[in-house]
């Protein structure tokens, strides 16, 4: 897939026009790397998060796992606080290590991520990469910690310094024992959460792909070390399938195993689910989710203290006084294997997805421009968002044929009342029916229901109490009794 800036521009413009995504604080000129979801965007995002939650937790059935699954397992959710004890970030390594390298250009005063220089746009075009233009004057790379700082309490001193979390995962690790003790879960099991994370990205870019405030959907799966390779493969494949089941074009999605030199110092294996966004160069993809085998790194860190690699071992990092540089909690995170009486620290498999990047991938994937012939026999472009019905912001549009006919309006309202307890319904009585269909095509509403004079029985009893049902993708229109509508739509959206 080649890079397509005009396609990306068209998608960004539709997002604003239809109320999917707005620039944050736009009336004041916006703030870089921050975005707001409009009425359609918020529904889409909620639906995506809900489908993820259902798939990972509520509808997970430990007794009906697919063949080849190593053993049964339980899944639970939590919601942890955004500001956590600063020691969490010291022992996890984020305090010392969660940094990107940045370079500044002394000439144009722009700032770039050192590892993105080759793909960044130099403001001093025509040369594309910073450093290539003769006037470019780049500084040496410098570390830049991505965590946002804040203060807890009245005094703004080092003692009270805290951080906005850069990932939700630590909430699961620090609550590992609490969940085990309170919920009778047994290894293997998973703890999941969704929530905001914050990273002071050096170069936020590509619309909502890289932002400074974003939402994550993460799960930590705790298992016996001997079983961890099987679980890693299980979650890696299952997470990839989640995207294609919801309609992401498999030709644009890859599961990419990290090379050894890309792995974090503690990771045994990591694979990314990546999507060919229109802003990606030919053959390049953008990460939606990382599935990592994290070994016992996280639980051991919170038990013993910040770990560093020494040869092929992870050891507690010592300060100048020979004591642990950042001591752990000292809490016992080991599990007793009842059969062998062995004690072990569970290994962790982590599928970590970004909700906003997933939303953007579904938006790009749904966007279609088609040439159609209108009522007057002329060709025109139809923009249609082909969302999977499960995630579409509205499931059905309900339209009285004419708004100045009270009987049509009353019947249409009746249909809305019938459907609304079960799904998101959009009622629209304004303008020509064709225009109303087009608006819902752009919103990605999979079905349209029109109430006309046949519905009222004005042309005879045969079609009385039937409606026209229009399919967004095929534009086919069929007649359906109102009594069958709810069951039909429920079947399609579940
Ligand atoms: P990248 O390499 O793109 O910076 P990452 O590998 O640091 O991402 P993780 O720490 O693995 O990302 O976070 C898990 C997921 O959170 C990512 O796959 C992505 O979907 C999402 N995410 C991370 N950083 C951002 C961001 N700045 N804006 C939006 N989503 C993000």
């Amino acid at each position: 897939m080649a890079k397509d800036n005009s396609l990306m521009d068209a998608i960004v413009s539709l997002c604003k026009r239809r109320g999917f995504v707005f620039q944050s604080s736009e009336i004041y000129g916006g703030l870089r790397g921050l975005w707001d979801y409009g009425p359609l965007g918020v529904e889409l995002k909620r639906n995506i998060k809900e489908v993820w939650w259902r798939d990972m937790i509520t509808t997970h059935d430990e007794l009906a796992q697919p063949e080849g699954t190593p053993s049964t397992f339980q899944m639970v959710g939590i919601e942890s606080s955004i500001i956590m004890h600063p020691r969490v970030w010291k022992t996890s390594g984020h305090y010392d290590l969660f940094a990107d390298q940045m370079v500044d250009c002394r000439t144009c005063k722009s700032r770039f991520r050192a590892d993105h220089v080759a793909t960044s746009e130099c403001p001093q075009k025509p040369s594309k990469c910073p450093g290539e233009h003769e006037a470019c004057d780049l500084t040496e790379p410098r570390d830049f910690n991505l965590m946002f700082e804040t203060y807890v309490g009245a005094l703004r001193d080092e003692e009270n310094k805290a951080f906005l979390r850069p990932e939700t995962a630590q909430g699961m690790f620090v609550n590992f024992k609490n969940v085990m003790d309170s919920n009778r879960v047994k290894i293997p099991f998973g703890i999941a959460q969704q929530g905001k994370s914050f990273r002071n990205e050096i170069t936020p870019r590509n619309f909502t792909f890289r932002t400074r405030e974003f939402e994550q959907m993460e799960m930590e799966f705790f298992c016996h070390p001997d079983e961890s390779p099987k679980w890693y493969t299980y979650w890696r494949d299952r997470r990839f399938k989640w995207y294609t089941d919801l309609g992401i074009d498999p030709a644009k999605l890859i599961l990419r195993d990290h090379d050894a030199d890309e792995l974090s110092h503690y990771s045994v294996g990591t694979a990314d689910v990546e999507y060919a966004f229109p802003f990606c160069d030919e053959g390049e993809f953008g990460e939606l989710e990382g599935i990592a085998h994290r070994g016992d790194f996280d639980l051991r860190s919170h038990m013993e203290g910040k770990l560093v690699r020494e040869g092929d071992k992870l050891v507690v990092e010592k300060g100048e006084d020979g004591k642990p540089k950042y001591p752990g909690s000292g809490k016992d995170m080991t599990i007793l294997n009842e059969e062998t009486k062995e004690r072990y620290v569970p290994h962790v498999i982590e599928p970590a997805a970004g909700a906003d990047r997933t939303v953007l991938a579904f938006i790009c994937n749904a966007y279609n421009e088609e040439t159609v012939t209108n009522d007057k026999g002329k060709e025109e472009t139809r923009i249609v968002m082909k969302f999977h019905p499960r995630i579409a912001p509205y499931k059905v549009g309900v339209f009285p044929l004419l708004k100045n006919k009270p009987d049509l309006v009353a019947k249409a309202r009746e249909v809305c009342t019938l459907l609304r307890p079960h799904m998101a319904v959009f009622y629209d009585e304004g303008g020509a029916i064709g225009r109303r269909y087009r608006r819902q095509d752009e919103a990605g509403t999979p079905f349209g229901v029109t109430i006309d004079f046949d519905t009222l029985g004005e042309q005879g009893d045969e079609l009385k109490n039937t409606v026209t049902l229009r399919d967004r993708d095929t534009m086919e229109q069929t007649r359906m009794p109102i009594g069958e509508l709810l069951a039909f739509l429920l079947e399609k959206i579940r």
Side-chain angles (χ1 to χ4, degrees):
M1 252 54 67
K3 177 169 173 152
D4 190 341
N5 284 336
S6 61
L7 173 59
M8 201 58 219
D9 289 347
I11 290 171
V12 173
S13 143
L14 174 120
C15 281
K16 175 159 188 202
R17 188 170 73 243
R18 282 285 164 240
F20 282 96
V21 180
F22 306 126
Q23 203 180 6
S24 161
S25 331
E26 194 194 87
I27 59 167
Y28 290 105
L31 196 55
R32 264 194 93 196
L34 297 159
W35 299 89
D36 295 343
Y37 288 95
L40 288 183
V42 74
E43 294 294 338
L44 176 66
K45 188 172 173 187
R46 284 170 67 106
N47 291 344
I48 289 170
K49 282 165 45 186
E50 173 63 18
V51 175
W52 184 92
W53 192 265
R54 283 175 67 83
D55 185 57
M56 296 301 260
I57 302 175
T58 33
T59 63
H60 157 73
D61 183 350
E62 72 221 48
L63 300 176
Q65 283 306 305
E67 228 177 282
T69 308
S71 55
T72 60
F73 58 94
Q74 284 169 281
M75 302 289 287
V76 293
I78 60 161
E79 185 176 307
S80 66
S81 59
I82 286 174
I83 298 175
M84 300 171 76
H85 197 293
R87 280 181 61 192
V88 169
W89 308 110
K90 291 185 174 160
T91 44
S92 72
H94 286 83
Y95 184 73
D96 279 351
L97 299 172
F98 197 59
D100 278 336
Q101 294 216 306
M102 64 177 179
V103 292
D104 291 305
C105 177
R106 296 183 187 95
T107 314
C108 68
K109 312 285 178 225
S110 300
R111 178 160 287 173
F112 307 96
R113 233 172 93 165
D115 60 337
H116 286 174
V117 162
T119 52
S120 299
E121 295 265 345
C122 173
Q124 305 170 53
K125 289 172 183 174
S127 183
K128 188 178 161 202
C129 302
E132 289 200 348
H133 192 273
E134 59 186 30
C136 290
D137 183 8
L138 300 186
T139 62
E140 285 299 308
R142 283 177 293 148
D143 276 348
F144 174 76
N145 195 302
L146 301 182
M147 284 199 293
F148 279 98
E149 292 176 4
T150 187
Y151 295 88
V152 175
L155 292 179
R156 299 177 73 81
D157 58 13
E158 204 51 33
E159 277 275 284
N160 293 308
K161 195 192 270 181
F163 306 93
L164 303 191
R165 67 180 176 201
E167 61 171 36
T168 59
Q170 298 303 323
M172 273 79 92
F173 299 131
V174 299
N175 280 301
F176 168 69
K177 275 280 170 182
N178 280 341
V179 170
M180 281 208 83
D181 295 346
S182 59
N183 281 263
R184 296 165 45 91
V185 285
K186 283 213 172 81
I187 300 276
F189 72 94
I191 312 179
Q193 86 166 311
Q194 301 178 332
K196 291 265 181 164
S197 291
F198 301 82
R199 296 182 189 179
N200 198 0
E201 297 278 358
I202 297 168
T203 42
R205 59 179 178 168
N206 292 331
F207 198 29
T208 57
F209 180 80
R210 184 173 302 286
T211 58
R212 290 182 164 135
E213 173 180 336
F214 55 95
E215 204 158 345
Q216 291 185 306
M217 311 188 285
E218 298 196 288
M219 193 276 286
E220 309 301 326
F221 192 78
F222 302 93
C223 58
H224 189 281
D226 292 348
E227 283 202 329
S228 61
K230 284 190 263 176
W231 284 116
Y232 171 61
T233 311
Y234 170 79
W235 282 111
R236 183 180 165 275
D237 297 346
R238 176 168 164 172
R239 289 303 306 147
F240 184 80
K241 191 169 170 290
W242 185 81
Y243 294 91
T244 51
D245 283 353
L246 285 173
I248 292 275
D249 178 357
K252 292 189 179 163
L253 199 70
I254 56 161
L255 186 58
R256 189 181 66 82
D257 288 302
H258 280 209
D259 298 332
D261 61 354
E262 269 182 282
L263 294 177
S264 324
H265 64 291
Y266 50 78
S267 183
V268 179
T270 298
D272 287 343
V273 179
E274 299 181 343
Y275 179 74
F277 286 98
F279 52 74
C280 295
D281 283 324
E282 178 96 47
E284 298 283 323
F285 296 81
E287 174 186 329
L288 299 180
E289 169 164 358
I291 301 103
H293 184 311
R294 299 176 63 93
D296 64 3
F297 177 81
D298 307 281
L299 291 182
R300 261 189 71 200
S301 308
H302 287 303
M303 190 163 67
E304 299 171 7
K306 184 186 166 217
L307 299 171
V308 283
R309 184 161 288 287
E310 219 174 72
D312 58 357
K313 278 204 187 121
L314 285 170
V315 296
V316 174
E317 186 178 4
K318 300 274 166 52
E320 280 172 10
D321 56 3
K323 293 187 182 148
K325 185 174 174 198
Y326 298 123
S329 65
K331 298 274 184 293
D332 181 10
M333 306 268 187
T334 60
I335 299 291
L336 177 69
N337 183 330
E338 302 285 353
E339 277 166 34
T340 61
K341 301 293 171 218
E342 136 222 47
R343 281 212 160 265
Y344 64 93
V345 182
H347 276 198
V348 168
I349 313 299
E350 175 194 80
D356 307 273
R357 284 191 191 175
T358 305
V359 169
L360 185 58
F362 279 114
I363 288 177
C364 294
N365 186 72
Y367 186 91
N368 276 274
E369 285 180 12
E370 297 174 355
T371 305
V372 291
T373 312
N374 69 14
D375 303 346
K376 299 186 181 92
K378 280 204 170 148
E379 285 199 338
E380 62 179 27
T381 303
R382 173 174 96 116
I383 295 176
V384 52
M385 298 297 283
K386 294 188 175 174
F387 292 121
H388 189 290
R390 277 184 82 184
I391 61 166
Y394 291 107
K395 310 303 180 193
V396 61
V398 175
F399 319 112
L401 187 63
L402 298 170
K403 78 166 174 192
N404 53 7
K405 296 282 176 205
D407 289 356
L408 288 176
V409 170
K411 198 73 185 166
R413 293 271 183 205
E414 222 176 86
V415 172
C416 285
T417 308
L418 170 79
L419 302 177
R420 256 202 189 117
H422 307 276
M423 65 193 75
V425 179
F426 191 84
Y427 175 79
D428 187 1
E429 55 181 31
I433 193 75
R435 294 257 297 280
R436 281 182 269 169
Y437 286 154
R438 288 285 189 279
R439 279 204 290 265
Q440 290 312 303
D441 287 344
E442 288 199 349
T445 309
F447 300 101
V449 166
T450 304
I451 285 77
D452 56 18
F453 295 108
D454 284 340
T455 316
L456 302 178
E458 291 195 3
Q459 333 279 345
D461 273 352
E462 200 188 326
L463 295 177
K464 191 173 177 187
N465 281 325
T466 65
V467 291
T468 301
L469 181 75
R470 176 184 181 268
D471 181 292
R472 174 197 67 197
D473 298 347
T474 62
M475 293 192 286
E476 261 173 27
Q477 301 192 13
T478 45
R479 217 58 214 182
M480 180 173 283
I482 292 176
E484 290 174 21
L485 204 51
L486 179 60
F488 171 86
L489 291 171
L490 284 178
E491 160 78 25
K492 293 284 180 192
I493 64 173
R494 285 208 174 130

